[in-house]
Amino acid sequence: MITLRTRVVLADDHGLVRAGIRSLLEGIGNVEVIAETGDGRQVLRLVKEYEPHIVLLDIAMPSLNGLEVAARITKDFPDTAVIMLSMHANEEYVLQALRAGASGYLVKDAATAELEIALRSVINGKTYLSPSISKTLIDEYLDNSSKARSPLERLTPRQREILQMVAEGNTTRMIAETLSVSVKTVETHRAQLMDRLEIRDIPGLVRYAIRTGLIQSDV
């Protein structure tokens, strides 16, 4: 039982998934879903407006992926904790989520009782990881925080943001307008990220974004 009233923002780009999770949350005493969204950028606006205790956040979010959103929440809203939601329990996703500042990582096919356990753990200042995530991985993260970053993590936040937008099919001009920067600035960031990733074409960027979980494949 959660003893203190807990305000939650729910973020997942699938409406049916959000409805299912909302139903589960509403069955937990003292938990209130104060807002929900399927858009990564909107999450940040909702956190600023409502100041929730916890954000339940899908990794694969359109517009701005969950890892970037988590990092920004951790930096700009330190009183809000993030529990990542994902279909994946592999090392790369979990380590990226923890490095982004997430307080929990919940695999979507987990038992429904895990949701309350995760919320209770995070509310009490602990880190919660689904049991399907190996203890070896947890120990590696705790004992080796200096582990070499992946190529994706070595990109700047703006470069990762532009990578996602390119992979989602946005034109250079559309990206420039969304980010309120010049077309030249977008072109420069894109060239730099392609150099860092050693990828020379847009289809290659799309494949990389899918492989690393920045976007989801349509197939």
Side-chain angles (χ1 to χ4, degrees):
M1 175 71 178
I2 294 174
T3 57
L4 298 176
R5 189 160 187 82
T6 301
R7 301 190 310 278
V8 175
V9 166
L10 174 58
D12 191 293
D13 65 330
H14 293 93
L16 288 176
V17 173
R18 285 204 312 275
I21 296 174
R22 173 186 276 273
S23 178
L24 292 173
L25 290 169
E26 289 173 345
I28 301 174
N30 286 326
V31 173
E32 178 187 7
V33 179
I34 55 176
E36 64 178 77
T37 182
D39 179 88
R41 295 182 191 279
Q42 179 68 8
V43 177
L44 298 174
R45 292 190 284 270
L46 292 175
V47 171
K48 182 177 181 179
E49 179 178 357
Y50 292 105
E51 299 181 350
H53 297 108
I54 292 177
V55 176
L56 282 171
L57 177 63
D58 188 16
I59 283 186
M61 295 285 288
S63 180
L64 190 66
N65 75 87
L67 295 171
E68 294 299 324
V69 174
R72 296 187 189 191
I73 290 174
T74 301
K75 176 177 179 291
D76 298 333
F77 308 98
D79 293 331
T80 296
V82 175
I83 298 176
M84 303 301 302
L85 301 170
S86 178
M87 293 298 298
H88 308 283
N90 64 51
E91 176 180 336
E92 182 173 359
Y93 287 119
V94 179
L95 288 178
Q96 285 187 53
L98 293 173
R99 288 174 177 150
S103 298
Y105 192 101
L106 192 60
V107 178
K108 287 185 178 179
D109 62 0
T112 55
E114 275 193 49
L115 182 58
E116 182 174 356
I117 296 171
L119 288 171
R120 187 167 61 244
S121 297
V122 171
I123 289 168
N124 290 324
K126 300 176 182 178
T127 297
Y128 180 85
L129 302 179
S130 284
S132 58
I133 300 167
S134 71
K135 186 177 185 300
T136 300
L137 173 59
I138 299 171
D139 291 341
E140 177 184 349
Y141 171 72
L142 295 175
D143 297 338
N144 189 17
S145 60
S146 61
K147 180 181 177 181
R149 298 297 193 255
S150 69
L152 181 64
E153 291 175 298
R154 289 195 292 270
L155 297 178
T156 67
R158 180 47 58 92
Q159 287 170 347
R160 289 193 296 269
E161 189 173 14
I162 289 175
L163 169 59
Q164 177 175 353
M165 296 181 76
V166 169
E168 288 177 338
N170 293 279
T171 66
T172 301
R173 185 166 297 281
M174 290 166 63
I175 296 171
E177 291 175 354
T178 298
L179 301 180
S180 299
V181 298
S182 69
V183 168
K184 181 65 174 177
T185 296
V186 174
E187 291 174 342
T188 298
H189 282 304
R190 187 177 62 191
Q192 290 172 344
L193 72 88
M194 292 176 84
D195 283 342
R196 290 192 182 188
L197 296 176
E198 298 182 349
I199 296 174
R200 303 306 175 194
D201 55 31
I202 300 302
L205 289 179
V206 174
R207 290 191 295 271
Y208 182 83
I210 293 172
R211 188 168 69 251
T212 55
L214 277 179
I215 65 171
Q216 291 182 311
S217 173
D218 291 332
V219 297

